Amino acid sequence: MKTIIVIGALGKMGQAALTGLSNHKVITAGRSGSVDYIVDITDENSIRTLFEQVGYFDAVVNTVGFCEYASFADMTQAQWMTTVMSKMMGQINLVRIGQEYIADNGSFTLVSGILNIKPIPYAIADATTSGAIDTFVKCVAYEMPRNTRINVVNPTVLAEAWHVYGEMMPGFQPVPSALVGKAFERAVDGFINGEVLYVDA
Ligand SMILES: NC(=O)c1ccc[n+]([C@@H]2O[C@H](COP(=O)([O-])OP(=O)(O)OC[C@H]3O[C@@H](n4cnc5c(N)ncnc54)[C@H](OP(=O)(O)O)[C@@H]3O)[C@@H](O)[C@H]2O)c1
């Protein structure tokens, strides 16, 4: 049994990840609500406080990455930066700071999303930062300390989120949360490193 911090546990992707992690001791974290620890992934001090408060952990599963949606012509620098500071730098900082605290042989699992492979209107910031995270994971895997691993789950839209995003995504086939949970399970319980785990229909 591993001790796993699941960040964004109350969100739709967090709930999907949890379906694959039931064999482990899970510590939940998020920005608000009924979680074990409150953390804001856009704030370095908040991230450091989380890891110091938790103490021992074998794995970090992050499912947070806030994105702004607008056409490229309309998206402002502020909207770009909000997305970059959450979905890209927030996740990179979780790894940059977390590597100081994580147990030997531990693992980080991040989240991106299929829109960098299958673009749709209004999602340029999501797609761009998802692509950045996929690249970050593939490349930083060579620099991870103490036999720690890093992977990213790149899912298509969840069936449980289809009522929110379905209208924006004609021609997409949603996947059940339980299937996405399997990808998080493979990342945490397997030996893979530097991989993008696509979950698409
Ligand atoms: N849902 C899908 O079908 C799907 C598919 C592929 C990829 N993704 C990606 O998965 C990620 C999460 O999406 P989701 O659908 O799970 O969103 P969601 O249901 O809105 O959940 C997001 C969770 O993250 C928390 N959060 C937001 N900003 C935070 C921050 N700065 N620090 C800590 N926690 C924060 C939210 O807390 P609050 O409630 O306090 O705001 C909420 O609990 C996104 O990057 C999305 O692009 C989603």
Side-chain angles (χ1 to χ4, degrees):
M1 181 185 283
K2 295 175 179 171
T3 299
I4 306 174
I5 307 175
V6 177
I7 304 172
L10 299 181
K12 289 180 279 297
M13 194 53 65
Q15 294 291 304
L18 286 173
T19 66
L21 304 174
S22 55
N23 291 332
H24 298 290
K25 177 184 173 191
V26 169
I27 294 168
T28 58
R31 191 169 54 179
S32 66
S34 182
V35 285
D36 296 322
Y37 293 92
I38 295 293
V39 65
D40 179 349
I41 73 159
T42 66
D43 177 345
E44 284 181 67
N45 293 329
S46 176
I47 292 173
R48 191 171 289 284
T49 301
L50 169 72
F51 293 137
E52 284 187 354
Q53 286 180 338
V54 171
Y56 182 92
F57 57 95
D58 300 292
V60 175
V61 168
N62 179 61
T63 64
V64 176
F66 179 81
C67 301
E68 294 277 3
Y69 294 89
S71 69
F72 177 58
D74 289 342
M75 190 164 301
T76 63
Q77 154 119 338
Q79 287 177 302
W80 272 104
M81 288 313 294
T82 299
T83 309
V84 165
M85 291 314 292
S86 185
K87 190 145 189 175
M88 190 180 106
M89 280 318 301
Q91 296 204 86
I92 291 172
N93 281 334
L94 282 172
V95 179
R96 187 173 64 82
I97 298 167
Q99 61 162 357
E100 296 174 31
Y101 296 90
I102 197 166
D104 293 354
N105 309 308
S107 72
F108 293 90
T109 307
L110 306 183
V111 69
S112 57
I114 208 69
L115 300 179
N116 68 321
I117 305 294
K118 295 181 170 178
I120 61 169
Y122 306 109
I124 187 64
D126 184 341
T128 302
T129 51
S130 286
I133 286 300
D134 287 356
T135 300
F136 168 69
V137 163
K138 283 192 254 184
C139 298
V140 82
Y142 296 100
E143 297 191 47
M144 295 302 287
R146 297 180 287 103
N147 212 27
T148 54
R149 300 179 296 112
I150 181 164
N151 296 286
V152 54
V153 176
N154 183 328
T156 192
V157 60
L158 297 170
E160 289 76 1
W162 186 246
H163 64 286
V164 184
Y165 303 113
E167 211 166 302
M168 293 171 66
M169 304 178 75
F172 283 68
Q173 175 68 38
V175 292
S177 286
L179 193 61
V180 175
K182 293 288 180 197
F184 282 100
E185 181 178 359
R186 201 151 65 84
V188 170
D189 289 335
F191 74 158
I192 56 174
N193 189 24
E195 288 212 19
V196 181
L197 303 181
Y198 296 102
V199 187
D200 199 359

